[in-house]
Amino acid sequence: MDRISEIFGEKVFSDVVMKERLPEKAYEALHRHIEEGTELDGTTADVIATAMKNWAMEKGATHFTHWFQPMTGVTAEKHDSFMFPDKNGAIMTNFSGKELIKGEPDASSFPSGGIRATFEARGYTAWDPSSYVFIKGNTMCIPTVFCSYDGEALDKKTPLLLSMEALDRQAVRLMRIFGEEVSRVTTTVGPEQEYFLIPAELYKKRKDLRYCGRTLVGAKPPKTQELDDHYFGVIKTKVAEYMADLDNELWQLGIPASTEHNEVAPSQHELAPIFSTANIALDYNQLTMEMMKRVAERHGLRCLLHEKPFAGINGSGKHINWSIATEDGENLLKPGKDPVSNTRFLLLLSAVIKAVDDYQDLLRISVSGASNDHRLGGNEAPPAIISVFLGDDLLEVMEAVEEGKTSVPERERRMGLKAAVLPDIKKDTTDRNRTSPFAFTGSRFEFRMAGSRTAVSCPAYMLNTMVAESLRQFADALEGTEDVEKAARELVRETYSAHKRIVFNGDNYSAEWVREAESRGLLNLKTTVDALPYFTAEKNVELFEKHKVLTRLELEARQSILYEEYYKNVNIEALTLLDMVNRDIVPAVAAYIRELAETAAVKKDLIGADAVCRTEKKMISALSGLLDELHDKSSDLEWTLEEFDPDSDVRDAAEFFCRKVLPIMDEIREVVDELEKRVDAVRWPMPVYGDLLFSGGGQ
Ligand code: ADP
Ligand code: MG
C-alpha cells in the first residue's frame, strides 16, 4: 500500500470506520438521522458514543471535546477526560450519547453581538453528525454547532448548514419541474488557501507581526515580486519539508490536500484541497489553517495567514470554489457539450448571476474585515466592486439566448463546446479572468475576494441563501407551466437582460472599470465600514428570514460583532504602532543621530574647526526633520485615540477608527519607512522586509 492510502483518514471516525464498528441498526439509524433528519434515540446514541470512545482510546485519545466555530477567527474546544476516578478510586468512563449530542459551554466568553446580554450566558453545542469526528493530539474532537440558550446561532456553522438546506429545498423543486427526481442537492466548496512562511526567529522580533499578524511599517526592499520568479518556482527544501509534513498531518485527518505551489510573492505559497460538501470544507479549512501554523512551528517557521502581511507585496487570499451537485455527485454547473441548448444549466447559471447582482452587498460583507480591506482593490486582489466573469464562450451563449436564439453560429458554437472541457476553458481564460472577483471557471464559480483568514462559512452561506432565493423565484414562475422548456428559456432571457450589468469580462483592476461600474449602478463598498450597514438592509433581513437561515436578531448580532471586531483590531494596531514608534524606532533614530553628531565632534577634535562634516550634517538634518515629523504624527495619533469614547456605539466606533485613525497610521508609516531607508541597518530595531522575505522560509 502506498503511503497516502496507509495514513489517509487514520484519525477520522469515518463512514468506513462506522460501518465496521457500529451494529447495522445503529449505522442505519445514524444515516437516516444525517440524511432525513430523523430523531436519534437515546440507546442508539449511547451505542454510537461507546463505539466512538473505544475507537478513539485505541488510537491513544484520553480526552474528548465539542469542537466548534464561534464568531471569532478561530475554533474553540473544551477538553474533558474520557475517564475519571469514582469515590472508591475505580475508573469510570465519562462519555455517553448525552455527551456526544449536546454540550453546555459557558457562552459568555464568546462574541454574541448583544444576544447574550438579552438572554442567558449559557450556550449549547450540538453534534453535527454530517461532519466526521476526528482525533487531534490526545483529544477526540466532535464537530458541533454552537447556539445560545434560546437557540440563536452563535457560530459560523449553523447558518451554513441552514443555507445548505435552503438551497437544497429550492434546487430540488426546480429539478423536479425539469422532470428529474433527485432527493438532495448539496453545495460543494474547494478553498484554495494562500499563506506566507517566514523564519520564526525573525517573526519574534517584530511586535507588529506578533500582535497584529501584519507589518505596520516596512520599506519595500530592492527586490520583491517584479521578476515573477517565485510563482510556481522550485519549492525550496525547507518549505518542501514543511509541505510534506503538513500533508501528512492533513491526510491523517482525512483532509484531501492535493496541490501545493509557490505563489506570486516571495515566501508565499498555496495549498488546495479536493473539494467537499460545504460544511465539511469549512471544518477542513479551519483545521488546515490550524495545522499550517502548528507544523510551521515544528520547522522553525511561522505561517502568516493575515490577508496583507506586507505592504506593496501581494496579500493572501482564499479562493472559494463553489458549485452545486446532486447527491450522486453530478455537478449541476457543468455546461455540458452544448451549453446553448442546455436549458437547465442556463437557468442555474442565470440564478447565480441574478443572485450576485441582487445581493452584491452581501458578498462584499462576507469578505469584510479590517485586514482584508488592505487587500481588496490593491493591484493583486479583486477590487471591492462585485462582478461576474463568464468568459467569452459563455458570454456569447448568454447573448445568443437573450436574442432568443437556440443555437450560436458555427464559430461560437465550436467555442461553446470547449466549455465542456475544463482544462481548455481554464487554459484559455485564466489569464484574462484573474482580476475578477467572481469568475465562472468551467464548471464552478470561484469567489476570489475572500481573505486568507476568512472562514469558508460566511461567503458560502450568503451565496447559498441568495441563490436559493433566485431558484425559489424561478420555481414559483415555472411550476404549473405547460411548456417548461419554453418558459424556462424565456426566464433565462429575461433574467439575463435584467441582470447583465453585473457581468464583466474585462480588467477589474483598471480605473475605467471603476467608472463603468458606477455608471452601471453597481456598488463600490470600499471599506468594511461602508459595507456593514447593508447587512441589515430590509431586503437582506427578508432574504435570510424567508429561507430560515438567520433571524433579524441574529443578523443584527453578526453585524455588531463585525463592527466590534473591526474597531478593536484597528485599535490594537494603532497601539502597537505607537509602542513601536515610541519605544523602538524613535530611540534608535535618536541614537543614530547622536552617533553621527559624535563622529562630527570627534573629527573636529582631531582636525580642528575646519574639519569637513558635510555628510554628517546633511544626514543629521534629514534624520532630525523626519524624527520631528514622526513625533508630531505619533502625538497626533495619541490625541486621536484619546478622543475615542469607549462607550460609543459599535458602528460609530468603527467609523471613527476607519476615518480618523487609519489615515494617521498610514502617514506614520510613510515617515518610518523613509527613516528605515536612512538608518544604520545594525541599529534598526527590527528585521526588515528583505530579511523576512528572502532569508530562508520561502526563498
Ligand atoms: P486554480 O488555481 O486554477 O484556481 P486549483 O486546481 O488550484 O485551480 O484549485 C481549484 C479548486 O477548486 C480545488 O480546491 C478544487 O477541488 C476545487 N473545485 C473543483 N471543482 C469543484 C466543484 N465542482 N465545486 C467546488 N470546488 C471545486
Ligand atoms: Mg484559484
Side-chain angles (χ1 to χ4, degrees):
M1 209 165 26
D2 60 280
R3 174 109 185 100
I4 302 187
S5 36
E6 220 172 274
I7 60 167
F8 194 81
E10 196 178 61
K11 294 185 177 170
V12 186
F13 195 68
S14 64
D15 199 59
V16 180
V17 181
M18 285 192 246
K19 197 158 192 173
E20 215 174 83
R21 293 195 167 238
L22 292 178
E24 206 175 316
K25 256 176 71 188
Y27 176 80
E28 277 165 12
L30 180 59
H31 263 272
R32 273 200 307 280
H33 177 59
I34 298 171
E35 278 139 33
E36 294 155 35
T38 52
E39 281 288 313
L40 205 59
D41 66 83
T43 325
T44 313
D46 281 339
V47 170
I48 298 170
T50 307
M52 250 177 209
K53 184 193 70 195
N54 292 342
W55 166 81
M57 288 176 68
E58 280 166 32
K59 300 237 169 227
T62 51
H63 288 67
F64 68 91
T65 181
H66 275 200
W67 182 78
F68 58 101
Q69 300 161 10
M71 302 293 293
T72 57
V74 289
T75 53
E77 37 197 83
K78 175 178 156 269
H79 299 186
D80 284 305
S81 171
F82 275 129
M83 310 295 243
F84 67 96
D86 74 356
K87 57 181 187 310
N88 303 319
I91 293 290
M92 307 283 291
T93 52
N94 186 22
F95 187 73
S96 65
K98 209 168 119 270
E99 280 79 31
L100 167 65
I101 290 174
K102 195 167 156 191
E104 282 189 34
D106 181 0
S108 57
S109 39
F110 298 110
S112 73
I115 286 179
R116 197 181 58 239
T118 27
F119 301 95
E120 270 207 55
R122 214 164 2 144
Y124 288 121
T125 49
W127 178 33
D128 165 17
S130 61
S131 186
Y132 298 132
V133 163
F134 59 91
I135 297 172
K136 198 171 58 154
N138 63 355
T139 305
M140 179 179 91
C141 300
I142 305 156
T144 59
V145 295
F146 177 48
C147 60
S148 76
Y149 181 71
D150 272 17
E152 280 89 9
L154 293 178
D155 69 345
K156 298 187 172 170
K157 189 181 245 195
T158 307
L160 178 60
L161 289 168
L162 293 172
S163 74
M164 288 163 73
E165 284 175 21
L167 187 75
D168 170 39
R169 276 192 298 275
Q170 304 304 333
V172 165
R173 268 181 79 197
L174 200 73
M175 295 293 281
R176 293 200 174 139
I177 294 172
F178 276 89
E180 287 174 56
E181 266 316 309
V182 291
S183 54
R184 212 147 68 108
V185 170
T186 60
T187 350
T188 52
V189 168
E192 295 160 61
Q193 178 74 49
E194 291 178 342
Y195 60 100
F196 278 89
L197 280 182
I198 60 166
E201 80 270 11
L202 299 183
Y203 168 93
K204 286 186 198 134
K205 292 185 185 148
R206 298 261 334 191
K207 285 182 188 160
D208 46 7
L209 285 177
R210 273 174 16 227
Y211 296 143
C212 316
R214 74 168 175 119
T215 56
L216 300 171
V217 295
K220 197 176 165 308
K223 173 186 188 240
T224 55
Q225 61 198 44
E226 43 283 281
L227 300 179
D228 279 331
D229 52 356
H230 190 252
Y231 192 48
F232 278 59
V234 180
I235 297 173
K236 298 283 187 294
T237 321
K238 207 167 165 57
V239 175
E241 281 166 11
Y242 165 81
M243 286 177 172
D245 197 4
L246 178 62
D247 277 346
N248 217 28
E249 291 283 347
L250 296 177
W251 289 337
Q252 288 181 50
L253 287 166
I255 299 174
S258 70
T259 60
E260 271 155 63
H261 61 77
N262 287 349
E263 263 298 327
V264 177
S267 292
Q268 193 186 29
H269 313 281
E270 183 192 286
L271 179 146
I274 296 168
F275 67 91
S276 35
T277 316
N279 65 318
I280 293 174
L282 164 66
D283 288 358
Y284 283 171
N285 183 247
Q286 295 296 112
L287 272 173
T288 300
M289 290 194 285
E290 190 182 325
M291 285 302 160
M292 281 177 153
K293 290 197 201 151
R294 223 190 255 198
V295 173
E297 281 172 36
R298 289 211 289 262
H299 290 255
L301 298 166
R302 276 290 174 149
C303 171
L304 305 182
L305 288 174
H306 193 285
E307 289 85 342
K308 191 74 185 172
F310 307 101
I313 291 167
N314 273 11
S316 300
K318 178 176 294 168
H319 292 175
I320 299 190
N321 293 274
W322 175 96
S323 189
I324 47 180
T326 65
E327 61 198 325
D328 305 327
E330 184 198 348
N331 180 355
L332 295 174
L333 288 179
K334 260 212 164 120
K337 292 223 179 314
D338 186 19
V340 75
S341 63
N342 186 348
T343 308
R344 191 190 74 188
F345 164 73
L346 294 175
L347 200 61
L348 291 173
L349 186 71
S350 333
V352 179
I353 294 172
K354 171 178 159 55
V356 175
D357 188 26
D358 286 342
Y359 299 101
Q360 299 160 46
D361 46 357
L362 288 180
L363 276 183
R364 171 65 183 91
I365 289 164
S366 78
V367 296
S368 65
S371 47
N372 207 24
D373 280 1
H374 295 293
R375 181 178 155 263
L376 296 179
N379 255 0
E380 96 263 4
I385 306 165
I386 310 270
S387 64
V388 179
F389 172 92
L390 288 181
D392 294 342
D393 306 354
L394 266 190
L395 188 68
E396 270 157 351
V397 168
M398 289 312 274
E399 274 166 4
V401 176
E402 195 192 2
E403 287 161 24
K405 297 180 188 155
T406 47
S407 66
V408 278
E410 194 51 34
R411 186 185 67 84
E412 286 91 353
R413 197 178 155 77
R414 247 186 287 119
M415 290 178 75
L417 263 172
K418 275 200 218 146
V421 192
L422 182 64
D424 278 1
I425 194 167
K426 284 185 71 173
K427 223 178 282 159
D428 279 9
T429 53
T430 294
D431 275 343
R432 278 173 289 143
N433 73 20
R434 261 172 73 177
T435 66
S436 173
F438 197 85
F440 186 75
T441 50
S443 62
R444 61 182 192 264
F445 280 97
E446 184 171 337
F447 183 35
R448 302 201 177 103
M449 284 169 87
S452 42
R453 287 192 302 185
T454 314
V456 164
S457 52
C458 191
Y461 85 69
M462 290 205 172
L463 251 170
N464 287 351
T465 315
M466 60 208 223
V467 173
E469 173 57 15
S470 297
L471 297 180
R472 182 196 68 80
Q473 291 182 24
F474 287 0
D476 281 358
L478 293 176
E479 241 160 24
T481 46
E482 265 172 34
D483 187 343
V484 173
E485 179 69 23
K486 187 158 162 258
R489 289 196 81 83
E490 180 54 24
L491 201 51
V492 171
R493 204 187 59 73
E494 276 169 20
T495 309
Y496 184 69
S497 273
H499 296 282
K500 67 178 179 188
R501 66 169 185 165
I502 198 79
V503 175
F504 180 64
N505 274 0
D507 178 5
N508 288 253
Y509 295 173
S510 67
E512 297 89 79
W513 169 234
V514 176
R515 281 191 295 273
E516 176 164 349
E518 195 180 345
S519 71
R520 291 188 188 191
L522 300 180
L523 290 173
N524 184 2
L525 305 169
K526 292 200 184 80
T527 69
T528 295
V529 171
D530 297 319
L532 283 182
Y534 290 82
F535 209 164
T536 47
E538 252 346 276
K539 72 169 178 79
N540 295 336
V541 175
E542 218 174 272
L543 170 78
F544 287 114
E545 292 204 323
K546 183 185 285 162
H547 291 279
K548 302 194 169 35
V549 174
L550 288 168
T551 62
R552 182 186 294 272
L553 180 67
E554 289 169 325
L555 286 167
E556 285 167 356
R558 264 152 219 266
Q559 182 185 43
S560 158
I561 289 170
L562 288 171
Y563 275 129
E564 193 174 330
E565 191 181 272
Y566 180 91
Y567 91 78
K568 286 188 170 166
N569 273 325
V570 181
N571 190 30
I572 292 171
E573 291 188 347
L575 295 174
T576 305
L577 184 60
L578 280 177
D579 183 285
M580 291 165 73
V581 167
N582 292 338
R583 299 181 56 223
D584 304 323
I585 298 167
V586 168
V589 179
Y592 186 47
I593 291 176
R594 202 184 67 203
E595 194 178 303
L596 290 167
E598 280 169 7
T599 310
V602 170
K603 277 194 193 174
K604 286 198 168 132
D605 268 0
L606 208 67
I607 304 170
D610 54 347
V612 180
C613 299
R614 217 162 30 120
T615 309
E616 288 83 357
K617 278 189 198 158
K618 270 194 174 169
M619 284 169 73
I620 290 172
S621 151
L623 289 171
S624 303
L626 287 166
L627 195 61
D628 285 348
E629 210 182 314
L630 180 59
H631 186 261
D632 290 348
K633 290 191 192 301
S634 60
S635 304
D636 190 11
L637 181 59
E638 272 170 55
W639 292 325
T640 308
L641 289 177
E642 269 168 35
E643 261 175 53
F644 172 62
D645 170 11
D647 293 328
S648 55
D649 161 81
V650 284
R651 176 170 176 179
D652 294 341
E655 286 271 352
F656 180 87
F657 278 89
C658 177
R659 318 270 181 232
K660 294 222 161 128
V661 176
L662 277 176
I664 311 178
M665 289 173 63
D666 286 343
E667 288 175 21
I668 293 180
R669 170 179 202 130
E670 251 177 64
V671 185
V672 172
D673 292 356
E674 210 36 59
L675 280 165
E676 185 196 300
K677 288 186 236 162
R678 292 162 191 265
V679 170
D680 176 8
V682 180
R683 283 197 179 276
W684 194 250
M686 67 197 89
V688 296
Y689 275 20
D691 304 332
L692 295 169
L693 293 166
F694 290 95
S695 63
Q699 275 300 302

